[in-house]
Amino acid sequence: MFYDPMKKIETSLSQIKIVFIVTTIFLIVLSFFVFLQIKKLIDSSDWVNHTNQVTMSLQNISSDVVEAETNQRAFLLSGDSVLLKKRDAAFSLMANEWNFLDSLLQDNPQQKENLKTLQKSIDAKKVSMHKVLQDYRPMDMIPAFRDRILDGVGIMDQVKMNIQKMGTVQSQILELRSQKYSRLSFLTPVFIIVLFLGALLILLVSYYRINQALHHSQYLQAKLEEEKTLAQTVLNSSPDNIIVLDKELRYLIANPQAEKLIFKYTKNYIGMKATELFPSTKTLSDMQKVLKGESIYHNDYYSKVTGIHYEVIYTPLYKGSEIVGLIARSRDISEVLTTNITLEKKNEELEERNTFVETLINSSVDLIMVVDEGMSYLKINKKAEESFGHFFPESIIGKRITEVSPNASTAEIKRAFEGITVYINKFKSFAFNKYYEVSYIPLKKKEEVHAVMIIMHDITESIEIEEEIRALNQTFNYAEQVSMFGSYRFNFATKKITFSDNLYRLLGCFPQEFEASVQNLIKYVHADDIQNTLNPITETFTLRHVSKREYRIIRSDTKTIYVRETAKTITDDEGVKWMIGTLQDITEEKHQEHNLSKTNEDLEKMNKELQAFAYISSHDLQEPLRKIQTFSTRIIEKELDHLSDSAKDNFERIQAAALRMQTLIQDLLAYSSTNSDERKFEYINLGKITDLVQDDLKDDLQQRNATIETNGMCEVKVIPFQFTQLLHNLIGNSLKFSTLDRAPHIIISAEIIKGSELNNIKVSAEMNYCHITVSDNGIGFEPEYNEKIFEVFQRLHGKEKYKGTGIGLAIVKKIVDNHNGQITANGEVNKGATFNIYIPLS
Amino acid sequence: MLKSYNLLLADDDLDDCNFFKEALEELNLTTSIRIVNDGVELMQLLLQNGFLLPDVIFLDINMPQKNGFECLLEIKRNDKLKQIPVIIISTSFDKKAVDQFYENGAHYYIRKPTEFSQLKLAIQKSLLYISESNTAHPELINFVI
């Protein structure tokens, strides 16, 4: 998976070695060949030189022969002997040249042969010349001519000398060149070798340098590799999930821990967007912040995808100063959380227990003190601090007992130090003026008593209570006698029953005259009531609630009395189950009750009869009345022409009377039915009822040009049908009793007020009431009728003037009564009437 | 306007029966009317074999032996009779009772009026409604005539 630079360097090193060796070999071979070639070149050049020397030597020999010939001929012509000497000089020169040539041709046998041949021909010549000379005879010649020949020889010599001169110069040049050449032929190979060595040296140095550089690089690479491996190991062995994301939040790397998590969702995650795999807007916004250079840390991040709590760190990934991505590290902290919670819980529990113990000790109403062997106080609780604080405003800790309470006895403490718990059930403290129950408890540390704890429990109250109970018992006894009741107590555990003294008295016996038992008690119960009584104890056994029964008892003096037995099962503070029962003489009460219920029954019967009578009579009365009306209409319709005027008038009167009777009956029916009607209370808006009534009376209102004004209509809990009737009657009344001078104006207003504001003994002070006022500007009435006005058939005006049955307001009053409300009327003659109605809201 | 009706009136009050008959006469309706004077008689007649069933029954409430409510229940529970429209005609007018009659299938409720002309009008109206509505049970608001 990883690119390995180590290997690459290794390869480079061996390659370089090979290249170096090849280069070296090539250099050596090249140098060798160059050297060889130059050597060959020098040799061939030597050979050319040699050939040149041979040629030159041959030419010299030739010219020497020609010289000798020339000089001999010149002698022959001129006879001058100098010339002969010249000839011999030429020969001797040739002899030198010959030796030289001979040495040159040493390595060439063919030329050596040729040289021998040449020797013979030259020797032949020498002989020929010598013969010529022998035959010589001086000749007579014109001197001028001889001179001329001699001049020619001289000139020739001159030429020869000049050639020789040039030849010498040439030789000198040659010598110089030869020297230069031999120097060159020596220097060139040396130079080549030096050059080769130089190249080799450079090669070596560069190989060494390259090698060194590569080795260094290899070392660095190895180090880097090591670090990388270390990092990889750290990454792999990390328990955290580590992922590296690029700038587009795509996965670059994930350690195995993270891979485990990711593999649950996908295998090919590299290049995938992290936010696609784990979508969370919070994570996305976090990561975007991190890409801007922020580092983000969450100590408890809950992932909805995995359902695990993580500790998360996001850090930007820098390349130089540029952010190229981010590193996200997360750690599953569920366990830590659990551990933390457990630890915290343990801590809390410990703390709680500590606090509990501390609180327990400090909240104890007992005085708790710890005393050391030297009888000095070591520790005391809050209560003790408070109690002693009265006498010792500075703490008593460190003080000796005898210092604090000079009269204290330390014997008990000494005994406690021997390892014995000492208990004193009643100890009177004169300093505190209280009774205590005192415990001396040895406190051990490794089997050794090192301190004693003194617990002083205040029992003053219980001692007082004891006395109080005694007094109470007495009072109870008296009370039983006064209110004529007796009592029993039954213990469920011991099955023992006890009777109070007065129970015996109730039965006409002396206190504790017979053994207290259920059977003995039942003996006194009236035979007819035993069934009703049964065994009160067995029956009440399971009862938690109060059980009550009444029965008759025949006293020992044969007098029959009524008793009410009240019993209840009670578990006292000690957990003992008791049944407590009382028997009360209710004979008197019973007689009264009997009378009352009889009266009640009679009343109810009468009431019902009355109602039925009212209903039935009014209902049945309607029928004959209706017939009277129908028949009279029949007569008026059919027989009108046969009637005299007075008969017609009488008929009209019959009809008017019948109509009045009809109204009367209907009102009576309404009045009686306001009682019997089902009382179904509903919440309804007063305005709604007013509207209904207004609609009902629309014609009347229009006819009289009346106006109705409403204020603060609120919700009321009423029997809608009855309340409609109520308003109908009141508004109807207002219309009926209006004056002719002014158009009727009726004001209906409502408000919610507290009962306490009413100053009316008949209303409850705590309750809220709806106060409804209906007032008009009609004829009103005398204030003395304020009460009377609500009575049945109570009329204030003659029926000729104002129609009416006198039942309307009685119905209103009855309806208000049905609503547990109150109604009052206030009238002012010729000004108007006001009705105040108070209806309770709940 | 109205087709010929075959009516049955159950009422123990002879005066009321006479009023009813007179009203029908004055309305000039081609109707035949049969009158019974108590509930028992009514039910016997209705259940008699071969009796031509009436088009409409006018039923008083307060009747001896078997009252109007009992009769209505019996009529409405009988498959043969239940489609006959029943019109209650009574002096009493108790809201609760009225609702009960409606709930148990009565078509109309006529409160016996004090004026004869109104009685005529009520009978005419009820017969008209029944002929128009094709004996379908009316809305509660139209129940009382």
Side-chain angles (χ1 to χ4, degrees):
Chain A
M1 189 187 296
F2 292 101
Y3 155 80
D4 189 356
M6 284 299 283
K7 212 156 193 169
K8 179 113 184 187
I9 287 174
E10 208 74 66
T11 333
S12 300
L13 265 172
S14 54
Q15 274 175 357
I16 284 167
K17 211 177 252 174
I18 291 164
V19 167
F20 172 71
I21 290 165
V22 168
T23 314
T24 311
I25 291 168
F26 177 72
L27 210 62
I28 289 168
V29 170
L30 190 75
S31 306
F32 178 73
F33 273 105
V34 168
F35 186 76
L36 225 62
Q37 284 299 317
I38 288 170
K39 198 83 184 149
K40 264 188 191 168
L41 196 74
I42 290 167
D43 281 354
S44 88
S45 164
D46 279 351
W47 277 118
V48 171
N49 209 19
H50 185 77
T51 311
N52 269 349
Q53 272 182 332
V54 170
T55 312
M56 230 163 83
S57 191
L58 282 175
Q59 270 175 357
N60 280 348
I61 289 169
S62 168
S63 73
D64 281 344
V65 172
V66 170
E67 169 107 352
E69 176 68 28
T70 312
N71 278 324
Q72 191 170 318
R73 276 178 193 171
F75 171 74
L76 288 172
L77 282 171
S78 64
D80 193 346
S81 62
V82 176
L83 292 167
L84 281 177
K85 280 178 188 167
K86 275 188 179 175
R87 183 201 68 172
D88 291 342
F91 271 122
S92 68
L93 266 175
M94 192 197 67
N96 281 341
E97 200 68 47
W98 191 267
N99 286 337
F100 180 60
L101 185 65
D102 192 45
S103 71
L104 282 176
L105 296 175
Q106 212 66 32
D107 53 347
N108 197 335
Q110 202 195 336
Q111 283 294 81
K112 203 107 177 186
E113 272 315 298
N114 289 339
L115 192 66
K116 272 175 191 167
T117 316
L118 184 63
Q119 180 87 49
K120 275 174 196 167
S121 60
I122 288 170
D123 283 348
K125 175 68 185 183
K126 265 180 187 174
V127 171
S128 125
M129 278 176 71
H130 197 68
K131 275 174 185 169
V132 164
L133 219 45
Q134 273 167 356
D135 298 343
Y136 174 71
R137 292 323 161 246
M139 293 176 266
D140 282 332
M141 265 192 234
I142 323 154
F145 181 62
R146 212 184 65 176
D147 285 344
R148 290 247 169 111
I149 290 167
L150 284 174
D151 278 351
V153 171
I155 290 163
M156 197 58 191
D157 280 348
Q158 205 66 44
V159 168
K160 231 166 98 186
M161 251 174 60
N162 283 337
I163 287 171
Q164 227 162 11
K165 217 175 171 177
M166 273 180 75
T168 310
V169 171
Q170 201 59 44
S171 289
Q172 275 173 347
I173 290 167
L174 187 66
E175 189 62 25
L176 272 170
R177 280 192 183 156
S178 286
Q179 270 177 9
K180 210 174 182 178
Y181 166 72
S182 67
R183 214 168 53 231
L184 264 175
S185 60
F186 167 75
L187 279 174
T188 305
V190 169
F191 183 68
I192 285 168
I193 285 167
V194 167
L195 211 63
F196 160 71
L197 284 175
L200 201 63
L201 190 70
I202 288 165
L203 200 64
L204 259 168
V205 167
S206 41
Y207 171 73
Y208 174 74
R209 295 296 300 204
I210 288 169
N211 216 17
Q212 208 174 26
L214 273 173
H215 268 105
H216 185 65
S217 154
Q218 196 175 19
Y219 164 75
L220 283 177
Q221 202 68 41
K223 211 166 158 189
L224 207 71
E225 202 63 25
E226 206 174 288
E227 273 168 18
K228 199 169 168 186
T229 317
L230 193 71
Q232 194 76 24
T233 314
V234 169
L235 210 64
N236 289 359
S237 63
S238 170
D240 299 350
N241 307 311
I242 302 171
I243 55 170
V244 181
L245 306 177
D246 68 6
K247 249 184 141 168
E248 312 293 317
L249 303 178
R250 285 187 296 241
Y251 284 106
L252 286 177
I253 305 172
N255 74 336
Q257 198 67 23
E259 273 183 342
K260 254 191 253 167
L261 196 70
I262 298 166
F263 281 168
K264 283 182 198 165
Y265 306 98
T266 180
K267 287 280 171 200
N268 302 318
Y269 65 87
I270 301 281
M272 203 168 161
K273 272 207 168 184
T275 43
E276 267 171 44
L277 207 54
F278 297 102
S280 154
T281 44
K282 173 146 183 59
T283 308
L284 184 65
S285 77
D286 280 352
M287 286 180 168
Q288 276 162 352
K289 275 185 210 160
V290 173
L291 288 178
K292 280 172 193 154
E294 229 176 282
S295 282
I296 289 178
Y297 172 73
H298 295 296
N299 58 359
D300 184 2
Y301 171 78
Y302 178 72
S303 164
K304 281 180 190 159
V305 178
T306 58
I308 293 171
H309 289 269
Y310 293 101
E311 185 183 4
V312 185
I313 303 167
Y314 300 111
T315 36
L317 181 65
Y318 282 98
K319 193 178 202 175
S321 59
E322 188 197 352
I323 296 171
V324 293
L326 65 90
I327 302 165
R329 240 180 65 198
S330 61
R331 182 180 295 180
D332 182 348
I333 53 159
S334 328
E335 223 167 280
V336 179
L337 279 179
T338 329
T339 320
N340 271 353
I341 289 165
T342 321
L343 263 169
E344 231 163 77
K345 220 184 230 168
K346 257 188 198 161
N347 250 349
E348 257 169 43
E349 268 169 28
L350 250 157
E351 212 162 287
E352 214 170 276
R353 203 184 299 167
N354 260 349
T355 321
F356 177 69
V357 171
E358 192 110 333
T359 316
L360 198 70
I361 290 174
N362 276 333
S363 63
S364 172
V365 291
D366 298 346
L367 279 65
I368 301 173
M369 293 140 292
V370 178
V371 179
D372 68 5
E373 233 160 333
M375 300 287 161
S376 299
Y377 290 109
L378 277 178
K379 274 181 203 166
I380 59 168
N381 76 339
K382 216 170 195 170
K383 180 74 187 176
E385 209 173 82
E386 281 169 18
S387 302
F388 285 108
H390 291 299
F391 310 103
F392 297 91
E394 74 282 13
S395 177
I396 61 164
I397 289 173
K399 283 205 164 74
R400 289 174 61 84
I401 291 177
T402 45
E403 256 180 275
V404 176
S405 342
N407 300 325
S409 147
T410 53
E412 291 85 3
I413 302 172
K414 277 173 187 158
R415 285 201 65 199
F417 268 108
E418 283 160 23
I420 302 153
T421 303
V422 184
Y423 173 74
I424 296 170
N425 60 357
K426 194 171 171 186
F427 164 78
K428 166 111 192 182
S429 161
F430 291 99
F432 298 148
N433 194 23
K434 272 178 177 169
Y435 288 97
Y436 289 99
E437 190 182 271
V438 191
S439 311
Y440 298 87
I441 302 157
L443 299 178
K444 288 178 183 173
K445 204 185 246 171
K446 290 176 189 163
E447 299 299 310
E448 194 78 21
V449 180
H450 70 97
V452 167
M453 183 188 272
I454 305 169
I455 301 174
M456 290 171 72
H457 179 61
D458 187 350
I459 53 165
T460 318
E461 214 167 297
S462 51
I463 284 170
E464 278 167 4
I465 284 169
E466 253 171 54
E467 272 160 23
E468 220 168 276
I469 285 171
R470 213 171 300 141
L472 256 173
N473 258 338
Q474 213 151 14
T475 316
F476 180 71
N477 246 324
Y478 293 138
E480 277 195 336
Q481 286 182 41
V482 170
S483 57
M484 293 190 295
F485 73 86
S487 62
Y488 64 79
R489 293 199 302 162
F490 176 75
N491 187 320
F492 283 99
T494 61
K495 308 276 177 214
K496 211 184 147 200
I497 192 162
T498 49
F499 294 159
S500 73
D501 290 352
N502 213 46
L503 184 58
Y504 287 96
R505 287 189 197 109
L506 207 69
L507 300 172
C509 305
F510 292 106
Q512 313 299 330
E513 189 184 310
F514 56 85
E515 196 203 334
S517 77
V518 178
Q519 283 75 21
N520 284 343
L521 184 61
I522 284 179
K523 279 180 195 160
Y524 289 89
V525 178
H526 193 287
D528 295 349
D529 291 349
I530 288 180
Q531 202 73 26
N532 190 25
T533 329
L534 279 174
N535 185 338
I537 285 161
T538 49
E539 200 183 307
T540 322
F541 188 80
T542 49
L543 291 178
R544 283 259 152 232
H545 57 84
V546 176
S547 124
K548 274 188 183 170
R549 56 175 73 72
E550 289 171 10
Y551 46 87
R552 282 167 291 176
I553 272 180
I554 302 168
R555 285 160 54 107
S556 58
D557 55 11
T558 70
K559 211 174 127 191
T560 304
I561 57 162
Y562 282 91
V563 293
R564 179 186 295 131
E565 185 192 338
T566 311
K568 197 190 178 188
T569 306
I570 285 163
T571 307
D572 70 12
D573 295 345
E574 275 103 55
V576 181
K577 216 166 168 189
W578 293 94
M579 188 163 82
I580 310 291
T582 60
L583 270 72
Q584 192 179 5
D585 185 347
I586 53 159
T587 316
E588 191 72 18
E589 199 180 301
K590 208 74 193 165
H591 283 307
Q592 279 179 4
E593 196 183 289
H594 183 74
N595 291 341
L596 200 72
S597 75
K598 201 158 173 271
T599 320
N600 254 349
E601 262 170 46
D602 290 349
L603 259 170
E604 210 163 297
K605 209 168 146 196
M606 273 166 71
N607 211 18
K608 268 188 188 157
E609 274 171 12
L610 204 71
Q611 256 183 52
F613 172 75
Y615 182 79
I616 292 162
S617 63
S618 54
H619 180 264
D620 287 357
L621 278 170
Q622 278 188 97
E623 217 151 274
L625 177 65
R626 182 173 50 78
K627 273 186 206 163
I628 292 168
Q629 287 174 309
T630 313
F631 277 121
S632 61
T633 53
R634 277 303 268 161
I635 291 167
I636 291 204
E637 276 168 21
K638 281 175 93 175
E639 318 286 341
L640 193 66
D641 304 338
H642 309 288
L643 292 177
S644 64
D645 283 350
S646 76
K648 279 181 199 164
D649 183 50
N650 284 341
F651 251 103
E652 271 164 23
R653 282 175 189 278
I654 289 172
Q655 280 188 320
L659 191 68
R660 250 186 60 72
M661 180 131 184
Q662 192 191 3
T663 322
L664 198 62
I665 289 169
Q666 271 170 5
D667 282 357
L668 261 178
L669 204 61
Y671 183 74
S672 62
S673 71
T674 43
N675 246 351
S676 62
D677 231 36
E678 215 178 279
R679 291 174 187 187
K680 223 171 133 192
F681 282 86
E682 278 174 39
Y683 279 102
I684 190 161
N685 194 287
L686 209 54
K688 209 168 159 186
I689 298 176
T690 313
D691 287 348
L692 253 166
V693 175
Q694 246 178 297
D695 201 51
D696 241 18
L697 297 170
K698 196 165 63 190
D699 294 338
D700 281 351
L701 287 166
Q702 264 175 7
Q703 203 184 325
R704 291 168 206 252
N705 208 13
T707 46
I708 295 182
E709 182 186 327
T710 56
N711 300 313
M713 297 290 98
C714 58
E715 290 262 308
V716 279
K717 194 187 178 186
V718 294
I719 305 160
F721 161 72
Q722 291 193 2
F723 222 73
T724 312
Q725 174 90 55
L726 179 148
L727 272 185
H728 190 284
N729 288 7
L730 285 181
I731 294 169
N733 258 18
S734 294
L735 290 178
K736 198 190 286 175
F737 301 110
S738 56
T739 66
L740 293 172
D741 344 336
R742 48 185 184 262
H745 183 65
I746 303 159
I747 301 167
I748 304 170
S749 55
E751 57 172 343
I752 292 165
I753 55 165
K754 264 215 122 64
S756 52
E757 293 171 43
L758 289 176
N759 294 326
N760 188 328
I761 48 157
K762 286 177 188 164
V763 302
S764 160
E766 293 88 45
M767 212 180 265
N768 282 330
Y769 285 83
C770 181
H771 174 203
I772 304 158
T773 315
V774 181
S775 55
D776 61 47
N777 54 354
I779 56 167
F781 52 85
E782 298 282 353
E784 57 190 277
Y785 293 107
N786 283 356
E787 297 280 337
K788 222 172 180 182
I789 202 168
F790 294 112
E791 287 171 19
V792 184
F793 300 125
Q794 184 62 51
R795 298 171 52 83
L796 302 182
H797 308 278
K799 51 189 162 193
E800 307 304 326
K801 205 170 172 190
Y802 294 102
K803 280 187 214 162
T805 55
I807 299 176
L809 282 181
I811 292 175
V812 167
K813 172 92 166 89
K814 203 159 185 189
I815 289 171
V816 173
D817 286 348
N818 284 348
H819 287 80
N820 299 317
Q822 294 289 324
I823 183 162
T824 59
N826 295 301
E828 234 180 301
V829 176
N830 274 327
K831 289 231 167 121
T834 302
F835 291 87
N836 288 299
I837 302 163
Y838 305 97
I839 301 291
L841 272 183
S842 52
Chain B
M1 170 174 90
L2 285 168
K3 68 165 193 162
S4 163
Y5 274 110
N6 178 16
L7 306 179
L8 178 57
L9 171 67
D11 197 337
D12 64 323
D13 192 311
L14 294 174
D15 289 332
D16 280 334
C17 289
N18 283 330
F19 286 147
F20 197 93
K21 271 199 283 189
E22 282 171 37
L24 278 180
E25 277 163 25
E26 286 185 20
L27 279 170
N28 277 327
L29 293 174
T30 46
T31 50
S32 63
I33 180 140
R34 174 84 185 258
I35 293 169
V36 290
N37 294 113
D38 65 63
V40 176
E41 202 184 330
L42 171 74
M43 292 318 294
Q44 273 172 359
L45 187 66
L46 284 174
L47 297 170
Q48 193 181 303
N49 274 333
F51 173 71
L52 178 66
L53 289 177
D55 296 320
V56 180
I57 298 169
F58 284 89
L59 188 62
D60 184 27
I61 297 172
N62 286 317
M63 285 189 293
Q65 294 192 67
K66 195 176 270 181
N67 69 28
F69 192 68
E70 287 169 288
C71 292
L72 177 72
L73 291 185
E74 274 184 48
I75 290 165
K76 290 299 164 188
R77 277 176 200 156
N78 188 311
D79 286 340
K80 204 175 92 185
L81 309 174
K82 68 178 175 192
Q83 73 277 10
I84 306 172
V86 176
I87 296 167
I88 308 299
I89 177 152
S90 172
T91 317
S92 64
F93 189 74
D94 184 59
K95 182 88 182 85
K96 255 199 290 186
V98 170
D99 287 348
Q100 269 185 339
F101 278 106
Y102 179 78
E103 277 161 27
N104 285 288
H107 264 68
Y108 293 103
Y109 192 108
I110 296 173
R111 186 177 186 179
K112 286 178 183 169
T114 51
E115 279 178 43
F116 184 75
S117 57
Q118 282 174 349
L119 177 67
K120 283 200 303 195
L121 206 66
I123 293 168
Q124 191 183 21
K125 251 189 191 171
S126 67
L127 289 176
L128 183 69
Y129 286 165
I130 280 178
S131 75
E132 277 179 354
S133 66
N134 204 14
T135 74
H137 201 221
E139 300 276 320
L140 178 61
I141 43 166
N142 299 325
F143 182 56
V144 179
I145 292 171

